Amino acid sequence: MWNHNPLTAGIVTRPQGVVPTDLLDQMPDWRTAMRNAIRDARDLCGRLRLPESVASDAEEGTGDFPVFVPLELLGRIRPADPQDPVLLQVLPRSAERHAPVDVFSADPVGDRSAEVVAGSGMLKKYHGRALWISTGTCPVHCRYCFRRHFDYQQNQASPEVWDGICQWLARNKDIEELILSGGDPLTWSDQRLEALIHQLEQRVPNLRRLRVHSRMPVMIPQRVTSKLVECLKPSRLTSIMVIHSNHPQELDEAVIQAIKRLTGCGIPVLNQAVLLKGVNDSLEALEELSRCLVQMGVMPYYLHQLDRVLGAAHFEVSEQAGREIIGQLRARLPGYAVPRYVREAAGSPAKIPLE
Ligand SMILES: *Cc1c(COP(=O)(O)O)cnc(C)c1O
Ligand code: SF4
C-alpha cells in the first residue's frame, strides 16, 4: 500500500483495511524519522525502482542541495513512476544546473536585506509582522525552495541571539505577530519551543499572535506531539499553523490525524501551496487538494507563484496559466476553498495578487 488517503478517492486509490485511530503514536518518533530520512539521490531512486537514466540525472542535479526525503513521505510516492507529483518535488534533476542565471537568482525575495538583528535571521518585511528564519533544518528538501541558497549557518538561536530578538520585538511596538519560519521551526524540540513561547509571553507585551510555518505536519506528521499541541494552545498568544502541501497525494491518514490534533485544540490551520509544473498545474490536482484540505479542516490560504530561485526554473508555470486554473477553481468550489494566487516581490510590504 503506497497511499492510504481516504480523502482522495478521485486521484489515488483508497486504503484497504482498517486504519488505527492513534496512528501517530505508533510511528517512530520524529527525531528517529529525521535520522532515517533518505539523503542520497541513488538511494531514493533505487527504493522507488526508477530507471537508471532517472538516477544518473538525479545524481547530476543534486549539486550542493542534498536529497532529504523522510520514509514517511516515501510511502506516498508511486514506485517506478518518474512523473509522480510527490516525487517531482524532492527528486533532483540535471535541469537544476541549467538555470537561466539572469532572472533566477540566489535570493529572489530580498531576504538578505531585510534582517533587523544582525546574524539572527529576524526579518522585517511586512507591516505588524516579524518573520524569523529560526533554523535552516527541514523535514524534507523541496527542490523549488526559494531559501535553498540562504546561508543559515549563522542563524543558530544562541541565548544571546534570542535575547536580542526579544528586545527588538519589545522595542518595536507595532509588531503584533511573530512568524516562525525557516527552514522548519518544528525541527526545534518541544522543550525549546515551550521556552520560546514562554519568553515571548513574558517579555513582549505587544505580541498577540504566533504563526508557525511548517511542513512537518505533512512530511513527518508524528511531529505533532501532544506536548507540541499543548504549547500552541490558545493562551495569551494565539497560535496559527500554516502548513505546506502541494498535492492531495501528500495527505494520508497520519497527516489527517496530525491536523485533527491541532484543530481539535482550537489552533487554526491554513495551507500554502506553490504552483509547480508537472506537480499541481492542473485543475484536477488543485481542486482535489482544496477539497481534501477543507475536509480536514484546513483553509487553503495561498497559491504562490514560484519564486525565481536558481535551480528551479523547470518548475515555473506562467502567470497566465495560473490565472486560468484559479478561474476554473473558482467556478467549481466554494469561495473559501479557493486559495489566493499571489507572488512575492522583494521590498514589497505585501504579496502581489495575481488575479
Ligand atoms: C508572505 C509570506 C509571509 C507573510 O505574509 P502573510 O501575507 O502575512 O501571510 C511570511 N512568510 C513567508 C515565507 C511568506 O512568503
Ligand atoms: S520545507 Fe519549506 S523551507 Fe524546507 S525545503 Fe521545503 S519549502 Fe524550503
Side-chain angles (χ1 to χ4, degrees), residues 117 123 252:
V117 180
L123 313 182
D252 67 1

mmCIF file with all atom_site columns, all heavy atoms in Angstrom, residues 117 123 252:
data_model
loop_
_atom_site.group_PDB
_atom_site.id
_atom_site.type_symbol
_atom_site.label_atom_id
_atom_site.label_alt_id
_atom_site.label_comp_id
_atom_site.label_asym_id
_atom_site.label_entity_id
_atom_site.label_seq_id
_atom_site.pdbx_PDB_ins_code
_atom_site.Cartn_x
_atom_site.Cartn_y
_atom_site.Cartn_z
_atom_site.occupancy
_atom_site.B_iso_or_equiv
_atom_site.pdbx_formal_charge
_atom_site.auth_seq_id
_atom_site.auth_comp_id
_atom_site.auth_asym_id
_atom_site.auth_atom_id
_atom_site.pdbx_PDB_model_num
ATOM 1  N N   . VAL A 1 117 ? 18.085 42.221 13.206 1.00 0.00 ? 117 VAL A N   1
ATOM 2  C CA  . VAL A 1 117 ? 19.044 41.981 14.289 1.00 0.00 ? 117 VAL A CA  1
ATOM 3  C C   . VAL A 1 117 ? 20.178 41.177 13.664 1.00 0.00 ? 117 VAL A C   1
ATOM 4  O O   . VAL A 1 117 ? 19.949 40.057 13.219 1.00 0.00 ? 117 VAL A O   1
ATOM 5  C CB  . VAL A 1 117 ? 18.402 41.188 15.464 1.00 0.00 ? 117 VAL A CB  1
ATOM 6  C CG1 . VAL A 1 117 ? 19.420 40.963 16.573 1.00 0.00 ? 117 VAL A CG1 1
ATOM 7  C CG2 . VAL A 1 117 ? 17.168 41.892 16.009 1.00 0.00 ? 117 VAL A CG2 1
ATOM 8  N N   . LEU A 1 123 ? 13.661 38.963 10.275 1.00 0.00 ? 123 LEU A N   1
ATOM 9  C CA  . LEU A 1 123 ? 13.416 39.851 9.137  1.00 0.00 ? 123 LEU A CA  1
ATOM 10 C C   . LEU A 1 123 ? 12.175 40.695 9.384  1.00 0.00 ? 123 LEU A C   1
ATOM 11 O O   . LEU A 1 123 ? 11.203 40.240 9.983  1.00 0.00 ? 123 LEU A O   1
ATOM 12 C CB  . LEU A 1 123 ? 13.202 39.052 7.841  1.00 0.00 ? 123 LEU A CB  1
ATOM 13 C CG  . LEU A 1 123 ? 14.169 37.920 7.493  1.00 0.00 ? 123 LEU A CG  1
ATOM 14 C CD1 . LEU A 1 123 ? 13.774 37.311 6.153  1.00 0.00 ? 123 LEU A CD1 1
ATOM 15 C CD2 . LEU A 1 123 ? 15.602 38.407 7.440  1.00 0.00 ? 123 LEU A CD2 1
ATOM 16 N N   . ASP A 1 252 ? -2.169 11.842 3.740  1.00 0.00 ? 252 ASP A N   1
ATOM 17 C CA  . ASP A 1 252 ? -2.626 10.498 4.085  1.00 0.00 ? 252 ASP A CA  1
ATOM 18 C C   . ASP A 1 252 ? -3.250 10.493 5.487  1.00 0.00 ? 252 ASP A C   1
ATOM 19 O O   . ASP A 1 252 ? -3.409 11.537 6.109  1.00 0.00 ? 252 ASP A O   1
ATOM 20 C CB  . ASP A 1 252 ? -1.489 9.467  3.951  1.00 0.00 ? 252 ASP A CB  1
ATOM 21 C CG  . ASP A 1 252 ? -0.383 9.676  4.964  1.00 0.00 ? 252 ASP A CG  1
ATOM 22 O OD1 . ASP A 1 252 ? -0.487 10.604 5.796  1.00 0.00 ? 252 ASP A OD1 1
ATOM 23 O OD2 . ASP A 1 252 ? 0.593  8.912  4.920  1.00 0.00 ? 252 ASP A OD2 1
#
